[in-house]
Amino acid sequence: MITLVIAEDHQALIDGIRSFLEYEEDITVLGEANDGEILIDLVRKKQPQIVLTDIRMPKCDGICATKTIKKEFPNTKIIAFSMFDQAEAIHQMKDAGASGYIMKNSSLKKVLEAIRIVAKNGDYFDDSITTTDVTSKEEIVLSTREKEILRLIGEGKTSQEIADILFIGKSTVDTHRKNILKKMNIQGKTDLIRFAVERKYDF
Amino acid sequence: MITLVIAEDHQALIDGIRSFLEYEEDITVLGEANDGEILIDLVRKKQPQIVLTDIRMPKCDGICATKTIKKEFPNTKIIAFSMFDQAEAIHQMKDAGASGYIMKNSSLKKVLEAIRIVAKNGDYFDDSITTTDVTSKEEIVLSTREKEILRLIGEGKTSQEIADILFIGKSTVDTHRKNILKKMNIQGKTDLIRFAVERKYDF
DNA sequence: CTTAAAATCCCTATTTGTAGGGATTTTTTT
DNA sequence: AAAAAAATCCCTACAAATAGGGATTTTAAG
């Protein structure tokens, strides 16, 4: 018997997956969560074999939840279920310890397939993900400070505002901006903002 | 018997809804589509009573599809199924002729409820939508040109680039930008870009 | 302890966008 | 045909971000 918990922002999708899995005798859904924090609690209580989780979620996203769960329960397998096939998200989920990555535009049959494979200690990464290792070029590693600043940029703050919030000089914020641009190789002349906003939205 | 077609970007969600609706004897799913164009074709062929459609879809989005369908088949009821409760999207769907609007984070039970109500010529708009008429403040109406420019802003183009693309002066683009800012009552480049990007993403 | 990485700060110059004003032409609506 | 709305263009001034350079201090990692 395979035990499973589902974490998803959209209740409709959870309901759908549950309906679908009801036909499968060998799979039991132990519970569901609508955000990362609830998911972590749920895993502690129910200790499922497999967690199927969205990446973009309130409170603590899929990546953050995966890290916590893997630290506490290394044997719990995690499958990411995402809208986007962004190299960075996939990479981060892999790093966090996920055993699978499925796109929401694939069928539930594939989800079922993935659950069964992962339950047998296998890995399942969506076919449509060509990006995986190839495009994951030079290991995009932003420092903690840089991520913090990127987040604030995404929230629409100006350099001056960010400087005030973090109690540092505007010059420092500008330097970080430049470094982020360099690391991300955003040739796009302008607009780190777009990058920050899209990032926030995509996972 | 209620006949239905489903249009959704994410196959997983379609599969889930189908599984869920299989238990309901009075509802038949006639078909499914992953984008707006296929949806329109499908409606022409199958002529369902009800269409359950995502807003954000490739090719032709939910709003555009709704308009076309309502023109050709005024009796076909349309229920929008969306991730976001943005006043503008709801407003546009209502204008296009939708009879319902449900959020993806509500349960499939609510979807079922909506289908039954709409089948009986009722309207169903999600409870969580407080926005509907209230926040839909001063009728955000962007002109065609303004929308076009907003789209290009969302794609990361600079005013000069937009000017070159549309064969107009940079001054004109700047004026449009200012007018958009004024209409939207937002201040700052950041916010404009965020608005453009979010809009692109959200429906 | 020493080194490398991260974080901090400053300078100059240029580009891009915002904010205010005004103005003309084309299209659409009445 | 007249009025309203949309689209076009230009001016000045200012704010914010990018791009190049250099420099110091903290904080980890070896």
Side-chain angles (χ1 to χ4, degrees):
Chain A
M1 177 64 77
I2 300 170
T3 54
L4 179 78
V5 304
I6 305 170
E8 239 292 332
D9 204 5
H10 303 306
Q11 187 60 39
L13 190 49
I14 295 187
D15 290 350
I17 297 171
R18 284 193 100 125
S19 280
F20 186 85
L21 293 179
E22 260 173 36
Y23 294 98
E24 308 305 320
E25 304 271 319
D26 57 332
I27 297 173
T28 314
V29 179
L30 297 182
E32 59 191 52
N34 294 108
D35 70 59
E37 285 178 8
I38 294 177
L39 170 62
I40 293 170
D41 281 350
L42 193 63
V43 171
R44 284 183 188 138
K45 270 185 212 139
K46 304 288 181 82
Q47 307 209 8
Q49 288 162 32
I50 297 181
V51 172
L52 180 67
T53 180
D54 194 5
I55 293 192
R56 183 179 153 193
M57 276 189 304
K59 302 277 172 70
C60 150
D61 68 23
I63 295 163
C64 139
T66 300
K67 281 180 189 160
T68 310
I69 293 168
K70 271 290 172 183
K71 201 163 24 172
E72 293 185 33
F73 309 96
N75 292 323
T76 299
K77 307 287 179 188
I78 294 172
I79 303 172
F81 194 40
S82 168
M83 281 201 271
F84 306 92
D85 70 335
Q86 291 200 324
E88 212 193 328
I90 297 161
H91 191 262
Q92 283 190 46
M93 276 308 279
K94 267 195 168 173
D95 272 3
S99 305
Y101 196 109
I102 323 171
M103 309 293 285
K104 286 193 187 173
N105 56 9
S106 39
S107 64
L108 285 185
K109 241 180 101 182
K110 282 201 179 172
V111 174
L112 184 59
E113 205 183 318
I115 292 172
R116 295 226 165 92
I117 290 174
V118 171
K120 285 178 188 153
N121 291 310
D123 279 357
Y124 187 99
F125 287 86
D126 208 292
D127 295 334
S128 54
I129 302 167
T130 45
T131 21
T132 326
D133 295 280
V134 193
T135 318
S136 164
K137 37 203 167 189
E138 287 110 38
E139 289 279 342
I140 300 166
V141 191
L142 291 182
S143 73
T144 320
R145 201 55 155 177
E146 284 166 348
K147 277 186 209 160
E148 200 175 359
I149 285 169
L150 185 58
R151 190 175 53 78
L152 290 165
I153 292 171
E155 285 171 17
K157 307 278 191 294
T158 65
S159 291
Q160 188 55 63
E161 286 169 338
I162 295 171
D164 293 342
I165 292 168
L166 300 179
F167 301 106
I168 55 177
K170 182 186 171 300
S171 337
T172 310
V173 178
D174 284 339
T175 304
H176 283 305
R177 281 188 104 113
K178 278 188 286 188
N179 291 336
I180 296 170
L181 282 175
K182 215 165 211 171
K183 280 190 186 175
M184 295 312 191
N185 194 33
I186 295 178
Q187 68 286 41
K189 303 119 192 166
T190 336
D191 293 348
L192 188 53
I193 298 165
R194 180 166 312 91
F195 177 79
V197 174
E198 285 180 355
R199 174 186 248 259
K200 191 177 58 174
Y201 265 80
D202 292 5
F203 56 96
Chain B
M1 178 63 76
I2 301 170
T3 55
L4 178 78
V5 305
I6 306 169
E8 239 293 333
D9 204 5
H10 302 305
Q11 188 59 40
L13 190 49
I14 296 186
D15 289 350
I17 297 171
R18 284 193 100 126
S19 279
F20 186 85
L21 293 178
E22 261 174 34
Y23 294 97
E24 308 305 320
E25 304 272 318
D26 57 329
I27 297 172
T28 315
V29 179
L30 297 181
E32 59 190 52
N34 294 107
D35 70 59
E37 285 177 9
I38 294 177
L39 170 63
I40 293 169
D41 281 351
L42 192 64
V43 171
R44 284 183 187 135
K45 270 185 212 139
K46 303 288 181 82
Q47 308 209 8
Q49 288 162 31
I50 298 181
V51 172
L52 179 67
T53 181
D54 194 5
I55 293 191
R56 184 178 153 194
M57 278 188 304
K59 302 277 173 67
C60 150
D61 68 23
I63 295 162
C64 139
T66 300
K67 281 180 188 159
T68 310
I69 292 167
K70 271 291 173 181
K71 201 162 25 173
E72 292 184 34
F73 307 96
N75 291 324
T76 299
K77 308 287 178 188
I78 294 173
I79 303 172
F81 195 39
S82 168
M83 280 201 272
F84 307 92
D85 71 335
Q86 292 199 323
E88 213 193 328
I90 297 162
H91 192 261
Q92 282 190 45
M93 276 308 278
K94 266 193 168 176
D95 272 3
S99 305
Y101 196 107
I102 322 171
M103 309 293 285
K104 286 192 186 172
N105 57 9
S106 38
S107 65
L108 285 185
K109 240 179 101 182
K110 281 199 179 177
V111 175
L112 184 60
E113 205 184 318
I115 292 171
R116 293 223 165 95
I117 289 174
V118 170
K120 284 178 190 154
N121 291 311
D123 278 358
Y124 187 99
F125 287 86
D126 208 294
D127 294 334
S128 55
I129 302 167
T130 44
T131 21
T132 326
D133 296 279
V134 193
T135 318
S136 162
K137 33 203 170 190
E138 288 106 40
E139 289 278 342
I140 299 167
V141 191
L142 292 182
S143 72
T144 320
R145 201 55 154 177
E146 284 166 348
K147 279 185 209 160
E148 200 174 0
I149 285 168
L150 185 58
R151 189 175 52 78
L152 290 165
I153 292 171
E155 285 170 17
K157 307 278 192 293
T158 66
S159 291
Q160 188 55 63
E161 286 169 338
I162 294 171
D164 293 343
I165 291 168
L166 301 178
F167 301 106
I168 56 177
K170 181 186 171 298
S171 339
T172 310
V173 178
D174 284 339
T175 305
H176 282 305
R177 281 188 103 115
K178 279 188 285 188
N179 292 336
I180 295 170
L181 283 176
K182 214 164 211 173
K183 281 188 186 177
M184 297 312 191
N185 194 35
I186 48 186
Q187 71 287 53
K189 162 195 179 180
T190 320
D191 288 322
L192 182 57
I193 292 171
R194 177 170 322 89
F195 180 78
V197 174
E198 285 180 356
R199 178 183 245 260
K200 190 176 61 173
Y201 267 81
D202 293 3
F203 53 101

